[in-house]
Amino acid sequence: MALVPNYLEDRLCLNVLANSVENAKDCYEAAEGHVLLGVLSKNYNSDAFAIEAMKKYQEATNNALSVGLGAGDPNQSAMVSRISAKLQPQHVNQVFTGAGTSRALLGQSETIVNALVSPTGKVGYVDIATGPLSSQQQAAEVPVDTAIALLKDMGASSLKYFPMKGLTHKEEYIEVAQACARNDFYLEPTGGIDLSNFEEIVQIAIDAGVQKVIPHVYSSIIDKASGDTRPGDVKQLLGMMKSALVKE
């Protein structure tokens, strides 16, 4: 199975949550394959159960599996690394301090390993204290270029910027996108993204020149009754991704 995500025009790939294998298949088709399906490690009581379940998602979507933490829970970091080593998915979600472990256990450089950093309220700075212990301490605010260099040292692929709260941190996000572009690093905007702000958020990253952009759209497109991500909304998001690349 392919280890590299199926990017739209080698540039954009959506990341959404899958509530079931069937929901994953429906979303995969709606996105014409340009999607990663998030399955949360937090939902499983053991590595063995997680691996058994996630293999079914891999088989149904040509390995378009994104192994998730669960709302960025740093306590899931070690489990994500362990199960990803066995699964070899296309995408791994990590906290800042977990990226190196995931990369080492994967044993290859193709799978995308992101690392979570958070807005600080200061343009040009991000909080890297997102690990199990560090997240309980005072924020560690560092220049975004330094954060990216540290992540490159650890073998990470991309910066997961969370929680963005939509466009609340727009000026900070613009600088993060420009930093990713000038340092040849991928970007994953996450948190509060919906059908109303998605295109602008993606366009900012594309206009900045980011090589690969993986926007995460979660709760805003989930049907509250069924818990499924709505394939119709995924199709709309794909249309916006195509539009953003046309405008470039």
Side-chain angles (χ1 to χ4, degrees):
M1 290 188 283
L3 291 175
V4 178
N6 180 16
Y7 296 98
L8 176 66
E9 294 186 27
D10 201 34
R11 199 78 186 276
L12 275 171
C13 190
L14 188 62
N15 191 308
V16 302
L17 291 176
N19 191 42
S20 65
V21 173
E22 196 60 39
N23 188 216
K25 285 169 67 177
D26 290 344
C27 290
Y28 185 78
E29 290 170 10
E32 297 174 10
H34 304 298
V35 68
L36 291 157
L37 290 313
V39 183
L40 307 179
S41 62
K42 198 171 186 176
N43 293 342
Y44 300 95
N45 293 327
S46 71
D47 291 13
F49 280 129
I51 291 165
E52 182 184 8
M54 291 187 192
K55 277 182 177 176
K56 294 172 184 173
Y57 287 86
Q58 288 180 297
E59 291 163 4
T61 62
N62 192 31
N63 199 30
L65 172 66
S66 172
V67 178
L69 295 158
D73 185 353
N75 296 312
Q76 292 300 116
S77 178
M79 182 180 183
V80 164
S81 288
R82 292 192 306 267
I83 64 178
S84 296
K86 299 288 187 185
L87 290 163
Q88 297 288 307
Q90 289 183 356
H91 188 266
V92 177
N93 291 275
Q94 263 300 358
V95 292
F96 190 90
T97 53
T101 301
S102 281
R103 178 60 72 202
L105 291 179
L106 282 164
Q108 42 85 0
S109 59
E110 291 183 278
T111 293
I112 297 293
V113 177
N114 72 26
L116 195 158
V117 302
S118 299
T120 60
K122 300 182 210 170
V123 174
Y125 288 81
V126 293
D127 178 13
I128 65 171
T130 61
L133 299 177
S134 55
S135 61
Q136 303 303 310
Q137 301 297 321
Q138 185 174 339
E141 298 179 355
V142 304
V144 63
D145 292 272
T146 303
I148 291 170
L150 287 164
L151 290 174
K152 283 186 165 185
D153 284 344
M154 292 191 284
S157 319
S158 63
L159 190 153
K160 182 175 180 177
Y161 195 52
F162 172 86
M164 279 179 54
K165 300 178 183 175
L167 286 161
T168 301
H169 299 277
K170 182 176 177 178
E171 295 309 312
E172 287 178 76
Y173 172 60
I174 290 170
E175 178 55 31
V176 164
Q178 291 173 348
C180 286
R182 63 178 171 259
N183 290 289
D184 298 323
F185 209 59
Y186 302 170
L187 176 59
E188 305 188 28
T190 315
I193 304 177
D194 57 29
L195 291 169
S196 69
N197 59 27
F198 176 84
E199 192 162 359
E200 182 176 358
I201 287 168
V202 169
Q203 195 71 54
I204 286 168
I206 293 296
D207 290 348
V210 182
Q211 280 186 24
K212 299 279 195 296
V213 186
I214 304 174
H216 294 231
V217 189
Y218 286 172
S219 58
S220 68
I221 59 168
I222 290 175
D223 182 271
K224 288 180 174 59
S226 67
D228 286 352
T229 291
R230 294 185 288 266
D233 288 357
V234 170
K235 195 167 186 177
Q236 281 191 63
L237 293 170
L238 175 66
M240 294 181 203
M241 285 161 61
K242 291 178 177 178
S243 176
L245 291 172
V246 167
K247 291 175 186 174
E248 187 188 2

